Amino acid sequence: MKEHILVAVAWPYANGALHLGHIAGAYLPADIFARYQRLKGNHVLMVSGSDQHGTPITIRAEQESKSPQEIADKYHRQFLDCWQQLGISFDLFTTTGTENHAEVTQDMFTTLLQNGHIYKATTLQAYCPTCQRFLADRYVVGTCPHCGFPNARGDQCDECGKPLDPTELVDITCKVCSGTPRFESSEHFFLKLTGLQKQLEDWVTGQTHWRNTVLSSTWKYLNEGLKDRAISRDISWGVKIPLPGFEEKRIYVWFEAVTGYLSASKEWAKLQGDETAWQPFWHEDAKGYYFIGKDNTFFHTLIWPAMLMGYGGLNLPYDVPANEFLTIEGSKLSTSRNWAVWLPDYLQRYAPDALRYFLTSNMPENADSDFSWDKFLRCNNNELVATYGNLVHRVLTFSYRNFKGAVPSPGELDEQSKKLLDVAAETFDKVDKALGSCKFREALRLNMSLAQEANRYLDVQAPWKTIKEDVEATARTLYTVLCVVSVLKVTMYPFLPFSSDKLHAYLGFSGNAREQGWKIQYPAKGQKLEQPQALFTKLDDSIVAEEKARMGHITGL
Ligand SMILES: [Zn+2]
Ligand SMILES: [Zn+2]
C-alpha cells in the first residue's frame, strides 16, 4: 500500500551561504530518503524554507548596512540555486516571510493559548542602556553556567549544546557594543512544557526505532526536567503576536521556525490547487521524518512534539534521524573564521554527484566525521571513478563497440553468471532495507561491494580475450554485467541522481530512472544502447594543495 511520507528538513537561516556541514547534516540525507521513497511509489512531500527571521539575519544586515529583507532575499535565491545544482529535490522550499506562514504560526499560537499550553508572565529581559534597546538572546554573550564556556549565547551554548536563557549566563555583555546590559521586566508568553513532561516521556518511550544518539540526548533533557520556555521577544523583526497590546513584540523565532513544516505543507497544497492536499501528510497513518543536525534535536524531539500535542489532531514525528557534525580538515567547522567548504564555491568547480558520494560515504550518522580535500580526492578517484565508474564504462563501451551498439544476446547463463545476478538481487533487497531505516552509509557501502563483485567477475571472464574465440561466452559476460549495472542504476539513484539518469539513457531504457521506480529491470536482449560517456571525472592530485591553500580565505560568496 502506498504511504504518505513527510520529509521535513531543517530551515537554514538566510544570513549566509550553505556549507558542507549543512549538506551532510540535513539536506543530503533528506534528499536521498525522499528520492528513495518516490522510487518506491509512495506519496512524498519534502518541504523546508529559508528562516528569514531571528537575530542571525538582523546581525548580518547590520554588518552589511542592508535591511533584513535584502539579506534574506539574497540568500534565499542562492539557496534555491544550490538545491537545483546539487539535486536537492524539494517539493517546496519557501520562506518564513510569507503571509501564509504568519497565519499558520498565529493560529498555532492562538490555539495553544486557548488550550492552556501558553501563559503570560512578567520576565526579565536583557536591556542595553548604550544601545537603548532590549537585546534578543543572541545579542547577549556570557559564560555558560553548565560548562564554563566564556562565549555562550543567550539562547544556547555552542560548546555543550544546552539551551539557555540570558538570565542564566554569568558576566553578560552586549554583542553589539560590548557594554553591560541590565535586566528589566517585560511581559511575555511562555510555552508550558512542564505540563506536557509526562505525555512527552510516554511518547518518547515508544520511539525505540530512533537512533541511539537522538534517544540519549532526548532522555537527558527529560531526566533533567523540562522548563517552560519563552515564545515571544522584544524585537521588531518577526511574526506579530495576534493580540492587542503586544504590537512591539514578536513571536520568538524558534516557535515559528518549527511551525514552518506545517505552514510549508499548507502552502504546497495551495500551490497544487487543492487546499486539503497537505492533510494526508499530517494524519496519524502518515510518517513524518525530520532531517536535522544534532544541535536541533531538542526542538524536534521535544518542543515541536509538545506543540503538536497541545494543538491536537496533527501527526507527531515518526523519526528524527539527526546527524552529528562534520569537521573540516580535522578542525571544527567555523563560519566566522571561514573554516568551511562553501557549497556555491564547490559547485563552481566540481560535479554534484562527486560531493553526494563523498558526503554519503562519510555521513556523520552516529559520530562526527571529517571532510578533507585529500580524502575527497581519493574517494572520488579510487572509489567513484575506479570502482563504479570504471565498471559501467568498461562494459558499456565494450558492448557498444563489439555488439553493434546493442545489448548482447547471451544464450544460457552459466553458474558464475547466475551467482552474480543472485548477489545483485540480494543487494537490491538489502539496500532497500537500509534506505528505509535511514542507514545511508550502509546502503552506499552495499552498492559499492556489488560493483566490486561485478568488477572481479569481469576480470575473471575477461571478455576482451574471449571476444576473439568465443562470442557466445563474451555475450553472456557482457549481458550479465549490464544486468548488474541496471540494478546499480536503481539502487544508486537516491545517492547519484545525475549519473543514474545518464546511465538509464546509455542502457537504452526509455523515460528516466525516476519513472522506472524501485524495481529490478534487466535490459532486453538486443536493446539499443546509447553511445556511452564516462559518468565521473578523475581529479588531478594538484587540487588538494590548491584547495588547502584557499581554506580559511574563501567566503560564502
Ligand atoms: Zn555550555
Ligand atoms: Zn549595546
Side-chain angles (χ1 to χ4, degrees):
M1 206 191 74
K2 283 186 181 181
E3 286 188 284
H4 281 85
I5 307 280
L6 174 72
V7 180
V9 202
W11 291 56
Y13 274 124
N15 73 326
L18 295 160
H19 53 65
L20 299 199
H22 293 122
I23 305 307
Y27 302 100
L28 180 58
D31 183 68
I32 292 168
F33 189 70
R35 285 178 183 273
Y36 160 71
Q37 293 292 351
R38 290 185 195 117
L39 283 192
K40 294 283 284 183
N42 288 324
H43 301 288
V44 175
L45 177 57
M46 178 177 172
V47 290
S48 180
S50 304
D51 191 343
Q52 301 205 348
H53 297 137
T55 38
I57 317 294
T58 49
I59 290 175
R60 183 75 181 220
E62 276 164 30
Q63 283 166 350
E64 293 193 15
S65 307
K66 288 194 174 125
S67 73
Q69 193 63 56
E70 283 175 293
I71 294 293
D73 289 346
K74 170 183 160 182
Y75 287 108
H76 182 67
R77 279 194 301 272
Q78 199 190 72
F79 293 168
L80 288 173
D81 200 39
C82 282
W83 304 144
Q84 172 89 34
Q85 289 186 59
L86 190 61
I88 305 295
S89 55
F90 283 108
D91 294 292
L92 178 67
F93 187 81
T94 179
T95 83
T96 55
T98 65
E99 192 60 35
N100 167 74
H101 176 70
E103 279 167 20
V104 175
T105 303
Q106 288 167 343
D107 170 56
M108 176 64 72
F109 178 94
T110 312
T111 308
L112 288 175
L113 188 68
Q114 282 163 357
N115 293 351
H117 297 287
I118 289 179
Y119 63 91
K120 199 163 51 176
T122 301
T123 171
L124 293 174
Q125 181 92 3
Y127 181 87
C128 178
T130 319
C131 300
Q132 292 192 326
R133 66 174 182 195
F134 280 108
L135 295 177
D137 293 352
R138 279 184 175 234
Y139 283 93
V140 185
V141 182
T143 302
C144 170
H146 304 290
C147 73
F149 179 61
N151 241 328
R153 296 190 317 255
D155 60 342
Q156 188 169 40
C157 172
D158 273 344
E159 190 65 26
C160 68
K162 287 214 169 122
L164 293 170
D165 186 90
T167 54
E168 296 175 272
L169 290 176
V170 183
D171 295 331
I172 56 167
T173 54
C174 166
K175 187 170 170 131
V176 182
C177 71
S178 301
T180 308
R182 61 172 186 252
F183 285 103
E184 292 198 353
S185 32
S186 178
E187 207 171 32
H188 280 288
F189 292 93
F190 287 81
L191 180 65
K192 202 175 164 190
L193 285 171
T194 45
L196 289 164
Q197 165 103 22
K198 179 70 178 63
Q199 213 179 320
L200 284 166
E201 282 177 7
D202 291 346
W203 176 69
V204 174
T205 303
Q207 309 307 314
T208 47
H209 55 287
W210 286 5
R211 285 181 185 167
N212 286 334
T213 44
V214 175
L215 275 175
S216 67
S217 83
T218 303
W219 276 111
K220 219 172 88 208
Y221 290 118
L222 283 170
N223 292 336
E224 283 169 4
L226 297 175
K227 282 183 269 179
D228 296 344
R229 235 179 127 80
I231 57 167
S232 55
R233 274 301 179 252
D234 292 283
I235 48 171
S236 56
W237 178 244
V239 174
K240 289 180 180 159
I241 294 169
L243 290 174
F246 291 90
E247 289 76 11
E248 302 307 309
K249 299 171 200 263
R250 294 291 180 272
I251 291 176
Y252 205 159
V253 66
W254 63 258
F255 183 92
E256 50 134 327
V258 287
T259 308
Y261 302 119
L262 181 60
S263 69
S265 301
K266 292 186 175 183
E267 185 183 343
W268 169 82
K270 282 179 200 161
L271 293 169
Q272 303 308 299
D274 174 5
E275 296 214 1
T276 62
W278 64 276
Q279 289 170 353
F281 292 97
W282 289 85
H283 274 177
E284 58 194 17
D285 45 358
K287 283 183 180 158
Y289 290 79
Y290 290 71
F291 289 88
I292 56 164
K294 69 173 167 188
D295 50 336
N296 259 321
T297 305
F298 175 69
F299 290 96
H300 291 80
T301 61
L302 293 167
I303 293 207
W304 179 231
M307 288 164 66
L308 290 167
M309 285 172 181
Y311 187 90
L314 295 175
N315 198 18
L316 268 59
Y318 173 76
D319 200 0
V320 186
N323 271 353
E324 305 290 298
F325 290 145
L326 185 76
T327 56
I328 303 289
E329 300 280 353
S331 297
K332 198 173 161 180
L333 194 149
S334 161
T335 51
S336 54
R337 288 187 296 117
N338 271 320
W339 195 254
V341 177
W342 303 99
L343 188 59
D345 188 52
Y346 170 93
L347 289 168
Q348 282 183 359
R349 289 192 303 290
Y350 305 107
D353 276 354
L355 183 63
R356 294 177 66 111
Y357 180 84
F358 177 89
L359 290 181
T360 309
S361 71
N362 295 279
M363 196 168 272
E365 286 176 352
N366 297 303
D368 291 354
S369 66
D370 188 54
F371 174 93
S372 77
W373 284 105
D374 185 50
K375 262 196 286 185
F376 171 72
L377 175 103
R378 281 187 281 122
C379 203
N380 181 76
N381 289 0
N382 303 346
E383 296 177 26
L384 193 56
V385 175
T387 302
Y388 181 44
N390 197 26
L391 170 74
V392 170
H393 199 59
R394 287 207 284 178
V395 70
L396 277 173
T397 46
F398 198 77
S399 305
Y400 190 84
R401 280 183 201 145
N402 295 287
F403 289 84
K404 298 180 184 143
V407 175
S409 299
E412 187 85 359
L413 292 190
D414 62 355
E415 278 311 303
Q416 278 131 314
S417 309
K418 282 186 195 155
K419 218 178 113 201
L420 181 62
L421 291 184
D422 286 345
V423 174
E426 276 164 33
T427 303
F428 186 83
D429 291 339
K430 285 183 190 164
V431 172
D432 191 6
K433 229 179 227 148
L435 282 171
S437 47
C438 297
K439 291 176 178 158
F440 305 119
R441 276 177 86 141
E442 166 77 0
L444 186 61
R445 194 190 57 74
L446 288 161
N447 277 329
M448 290 306 282
S449 55
L450 174 59
Q452 276 166 348
E453 188 91 14
N455 271 321
R456 277 194 292 270
Y457 166 90
L458 201 54
D459 289 342
V460 171
Q461 303 298 321
W464 42 89
K465 285 184 194 151
T466 58
I467 186 79
K468 289 169 201 127
E469 68 267 14
D470 189 347
V471 176
E472 200 186 308
T474 312
R476 186 173 62 221
T477 304
L478 295 173
Y479 173 78
T480 303
V481 180
L482 285 170
C483 287
V484 173
V485 167
S486 300
V487 172
L488 282 168
K489 178 206 61 159
V490 180
T491 51
M492 279 292 200
Y493 170 82
F495 308 100
L496 309 172
F498 297 96
S499 326
S500 275
D501 270 338
K502 281 186 203 161
L503 187 48
H504 186 88
Y506 297 158
L507 285 162
F509 291 111
S510 59
N512 59 39
R514 158 83 181 80
E515 289 158 3
Q516 187 198 314
W518 187 263
K519 66 170 196 282
I520 293 180
Q521 188 184 358
Y522 294 150
K525 292 152 196 172
Q527 179 167 309
K528 278 281 169 210
L529 299 167
E530 203 175 88
Q531 183 154 23
Q533 309 281 324
L535 287 181
F536 310 106
T537 313
K538 195 167 180 239
L539 295 169
D540 193 88
D541 286 1
S542 64
I543 70 142
V544 174
E546 282 164 27
E547 293 294 349
K548 281 172 94 168
R550 284 158 54 87
M551 289 291 305
H553 304 292
I554 300 301
T555 62
L557 304 178

